Amino acid sequence: TEIEWSASRTGLINPVAIFEPVELEGTTVSRASLHNVSIVESLQLGIGDTITVYKANMIIPQVAENLTCSNQVEIPCHCPVCGGQTTIKNENGVKSLYCTNDACLAKKVKAFTHFVSRDAINIDGLSEATLEKFIAKGMLTELADIFRLERYKNEIVEMEGFGEKSFGNLMDAVEKSRKTDVVHFLYSLGVPNIGLSNAKLICKELDFDWERVRQVKAEELTQIQGVGEVIAKQFVEFFQMEENNRMIDELLKEVELEKIEVSESAQKLSGLTFVITGSVEHFANRNEVKAVIEEQGGKVTGSVTSKTNYLINNDNMSASSKNKKAKELGIPIITEEEFMEMLK
């Protein structure tokens, strides 16, 4: 085993176990996230140790146990990306490693990558590697600079992998992304713990009004189902930081927030919680069903509980654990057709 330390846009430096490739659940695996310093310590890891690995939920490679326990891993004092000082933070008994350098390139690259991703501002043609090159050349120092890349046309067309056509395509994608909405804009900013679904919940509660989102109080946020005190505190702190407000003001000079209309029909599934399982026929995939439910005011969760109102499953007789649980709890199992009837 070896350990690689991977810096992220939040400053968190994640330990990753690197090991000889093994076959797991039909794929070849040679890396597994160790998540934090506490896990590294509890496993007593060291370079060259023999470990066993498994796939959590048959998807995510994890280290099960360490058979040799040499306990020789040195926690890095310097960030692997910028060389800045690191610090260990202890939050609720869990120790994690962070880079203390605000100007760390990893923080910038990850923030830019997140900003341009499909569920955020959605700019095709800006991979992490390309962003890294632009940042290293000083073309990007803040998010709004993405909308000002035109001024570096001469340098960019000369870069490897670029030319007039690629640059033109990139500029078209940048122009197209200037029109967005409050939900995707909020998600794009990289507020701690605000994924797309949380962004939707918060914006919906605040009538998709950007100024209300920006100035919301923690007490108001904790009234929203799925938003706890920690998330609310971090959210408010993010929007109180002078640097973040300057960044947002610069972005608002470049992007147009299109209004999201809240129609009466959008409340048809308000207050209802769904679980979706099995294959779908009338939608491209289960994510599309989820999007429809959320648009109509409903909520989608991953597991059946007493709070679930409906399980959507075209195969009522399937022996899946979700079907069994729904039957035990007396939760209606409905087909796609029945679900679509609810929308009419």
Side-chain angles (χ1 to χ4, degrees):
T1 310
E2 286 183 36
I3 301 218
E4 177 182 288
W5 296 85
S6 174
S8 73
R9 67 187 174 89
T10 61
L12 179 66
I13 301 174
N14 292 304
V16 179
I18 313 291
F19 45 86
E20 289 174 11
V22 291
E23 282 287 322
L24 269 188
E25 309 281 354
T27 59
T28 303
V29 174
S30 59
R31 300 164 64 86
S33 174
L34 295 163
H35 304 293
N36 54 56
V37 172
S38 292
I39 289 176
V40 172
E41 290 178 346
S42 67
L43 286 166
Q44 298 187 341
L45 283 167
I47 308 304
D49 276 353
T50 303
I51 57 172
T52 60
V53 291
Y54 70 103
K55 273 191 178 177
N57 299 325
M58 299 176 70
I59 298 170
I60 304 158
Q62 305 279 303
V63 176
E65 60 178 325
N66 183 2
L67 304 176
T68 43
C69 295
S70 69
N71 203 20
Q72 291 173 335
V73 167
E74 285 187 26
I75 309 301
C77 300
H78 298 281
C79 170
V81 172
C82 70
Q85 290 291 317
T86 61
T87 185
I88 293 177
K89 292 183 185 176
N90 192 327
E91 292 170 355
N92 302 321
V94 175
K95 292 197 276 188
S96 300
L97 189 68
Y98 285 86
C99 171
T100 60
N101 176 17
D102 289 337
C104 176
L105 187 63
K107 292 182 185 180
K108 288 188 176 180
V109 171
K110 299 295 180 186
F112 277 93
T113 307
H114 175 78
F115 181 75
V116 304
S117 63
R118 194 181 63 188
D119 286 334
I121 291 295
N122 188 17
I123 303 179
D124 274 343
L126 273 179
S127 66
E128 190 162 317
T130 300
L131 286 165
E132 203 163 339
K133 286 176 190 169
F134 288 172
I135 291 167
K137 287 178 182 291
M139 296 173 186
L140 299 176
T141 56
E142 62 175 331
L143 295 177
D145 287 340
I146 284 176
F147 299 100
R148 302 161 184 159
L149 282 168
E150 179 75 46
R151 59 189 174 188
Y152 295 107
K153 179 182 178 180
N154 293 342
E155 290 108 304
I156 293 172
V157 294
E158 295 299 321
M159 285 169 62
E160 191 182 338
F162 267 94
E164 291 279 351
K165 189 177 178 188
S166 298
F167 181 78
N169 291 341
L170 175 58
M171 288 301 99
D172 288 345
V174 167
E175 285 306 308
K176 192 175 163 189
S177 74
R178 284 182 187 273
K179 287 193 173 183
T180 186
D181 59 52
V182 174
V183 174
H184 292 90
F185 186 65
L186 171 59
Y187 173 67
S188 76
L189 299 176
V191 182
N193 294 309
I194 300 300
L196 192 58
S197 57
N198 264 350
K200 283 178 184 171
L201 283 173
I202 291 168
C203 292
K204 181 171 176 254
E205 193 67 28
L206 301 172
D207 297 328
F208 303 103
D209 180 332
W210 175 248
E211 285 309 311
R212 283 186 67 191
V213 170
R214 198 173 175 170
Q215 293 164 20
V216 69
K217 300 281 189 288
E219 307 82 68
E220 202 175 346
L221 284 171
T222 52
Q223 301 301 310
I224 302 171
Q225 189 181 7
V227 180
E229 285 184 18
V230 174
I231 292 177
K233 182 171 176 281
Q234 289 178 326
F235 190 96
V236 172
E237 283 174 355
F238 181 91
F239 286 98
Q240 283 174 343
M241 287 175 68
E242 194 179 327
E243 178 57 27
N244 289 341
N245 277 303
R246 199 194 65 76
M247 167 193 75
I248 291 164
D249 288 338
E250 286 300 310
L251 280 171
L252 290 172
K253 292 176 186 174
E254 304 293 341
V255 301
E256 179 189 339
L257 298 181
E258 296 185 304
K259 191 163 175 55
I260 296 177
E261 296 297 335
V262 187
S263 64
E264 289 301 311
S265 65
Q267 304 312 307
K268 272 188 179 168
L269 305 179
S270 183
L272 296 178
T273 299
F274 294 79
V275 174
I276 313 158
T277 192
S279 58
V280 291
E281 294 157 17
H282 299 283
F283 296 87
N285 50 42
R286 292 204 294 260
N287 273 344
E288 205 173 276
V289 185
K290 183 182 179 205
V292 169
I293 291 169
E294 287 175 345
E295 279 165 19
Q296 302 285 346
K299 185 181 172 190
V300 178
T301 59
S303 51
V304 176
T305 69
S306 56
K307 291 180 180 173
T308 307
N309 296 103
Y310 294 97
L311 171 65
I312 300 175
N313 187 355
N314 287 322
D315 182 4
N316 191 304
M317 303 311 292
S318 95
S320 74
S321 56
K322 289 189 173 103
N323 256 29
K324 285 179 186 168
K325 186 78 173 172
K327 285 172 182 172
E328 277 170 28
L329 296 170
I331 289 159
I333 302 170
I334 60 171
T335 62
E336 264 179 285
E337 278 87 356
E338 290 170 307
F339 166 67
M340 287 158 81
E341 281 298 314
M342 290 174 76
L343 298 175
K344 286 182 181 174

